[in-house]
Amino acid sequence: DGGSLEDLGMRIRDAGLFVPSVIGLWDAIPATQEAWEAQLPHTRERLRMISAVGSEQAQVIPGPGRPQAEFDRLWVAERYHDLLEIGINDYDVVPGLVFVQFLEGCKRLSQAMDIAIQSQHPEARVIPDVFHMHIAGSGFEGLRHMDGDAIAIFQFNDAPASPPMGELKDSHRVFPGDGILPLEKSLRDLRDIGYERCISLELYNPSYWERDPLSVAIEGREKTLSVIERALS
């Protein structure tokens, strides 16, 4: 309607809020130099928008849909380095690397950390999501081997006991504490490694979409805080 993202960012700040991260930079690291250069103007525009609203971080989703055999992790790491330089120097935004089950070559915590390390950039960060840690087979013990500053934001939800893990999709996500994931242990591990950034409630469950949005937000906040309090008490 003709408004501006800068004004929106000001309204957010005036309300005592802030934007910790934005999703994001989709298909930001395609497979070839030609595709990378073609995508870069769109990536820059997204970074401009993310900066305008006041976010300090953006989420990088490398190009999905290619087989793992075609996923050159060193190439991705070098382009992630480039994105960090562009984001920080031109937009004051730090891009963090997403890993999710449908990204062959970057679907596990270990793969994402390998890319972050190979990027050879001091601000490289990964973005764990407990649901994708579960369904892609990362497990949860790897958190203890990290430094808290290597995590951009920690995405929070839960997974039900059924269907079985191999059949779970994003639409099966449930509120924290309503499923079987070791959320309390994960939070204690985050505390122990010195993680000090945000926890982000992420739900893609269509049954919640049918409810009043405010009631979903209130329940999500209460259940998230309840898990945190149990974990850290």
Side-chain angles (χ1 to χ4, degrees):
D1 295 328
S4 76
L5 291 175
E6 288 81 1
D7 289 343
L8 177 59
M10 187 177 300
R11 290 173 61 188
I12 291 169
R13 290 188 293 275
D14 288 347
L17 303 172
F18 69 100
V19 182
S21 182
V22 172
I23 311 173
L25 306 180
W26 186 266
D27 199 14
I29 309 179
T32 67
Q33 182 70 30
E34 182 181 16
W36 158 262
E37 292 175 0
Q39 180 69 7
L40 198 53
H42 175 72
T43 297
R44 282 186 171 276
E45 175 63 6
R46 296 287 288 178
L47 284 166
R48 182 199 64 78
M49 296 167 70
I50 291 165
S51 178
V53 82
S55 179
E56 297 179 354
Q57 299 193 96
Q59 303 199 16
V60 176
I61 302 94
R66 59 185 188 259
Q68 184 169 348
E70 298 176 10
F71 192 95
D72 184 340
R73 205 171 297 157
L74 181 57
W75 159 263
V76 173
E78 291 170 347
R79 299 295 73 75
Y80 178 44
H81 179 102
D82 293 342
L83 286 177
L84 283 160
E85 289 290 294
I86 293 168
I88 294 169
N89 295 329
D90 296 352
Y91 303 96
D92 201 25
V93 171
V94 181
L97 187 66
V98 171
F99 62 96
V100 288
Q101 186 265 344
F102 55 81
L103 291 175
E104 288 296 338
C106 189
K107 64 181 182 181
R108 295 190 176 92
L109 174 61
S110 58
Q111 294 171 322
M113 280 302 300
D114 181 50
I115 292 169
I117 291 167
Q118 291 196 76
S119 75
Q120 300 187 50
H121 198 289
E123 295 297 330
R125 302 169 187 171
V126 301
I127 302 176
D129 183 306
V130 293
F131 191 82
H132 282 280
M133 290 172 73
H134 176 59
I135 66 173
S138 289
F140 295 86
E141 296 301 325
L143 290 174
R144 295 197 60 82
H145 298 281
M146 299 178 65
D147 183 277
D149 195 48
I151 297 174
I153 192 167
F154 194 73
Q155 297 182 166
F156 213 54
N157 41 72
D158 214 331
S162 63
M165 186 172 71
E167 298 177 15
L168 286 172
K169 304 183 186 311
D170 276 327
S171 58
H172 293 114
R173 295 177 185 227
V174 293
F175 288 116
D178 288 357
I180 61 170
L181 300 185
L183 301 181
E184 294 176 27
K185 179 183 182 303
S186 296
L187 291 173
R188 289 191 291 270
D189 288 342
L190 289 178
R191 175 198 61 193
D192 292 346
I193 65 173
Y195 177 68
E196 296 181 344
R197 296 192 178 97
C198 288
I199 291 171
S200 169
L201 179 62
E202 282 227 351
L203 301 167
Y204 299 99
N205 190 320
S207 69
Y208 298 156
W209 304 345
E210 299 173 2
R211 294 172 43 187
D212 172 65
L214 181 58
S215 72
V216 174
I218 290 172
E219 183 175 354
R221 179 179 184 274
E222 290 175 347
K223 288 186 172 179
T224 298
L225 289 176
S226 178
V227 173
I228 293 171
E229 289 165 0
R230 290 198 304 272
L232 304 182
S233 62

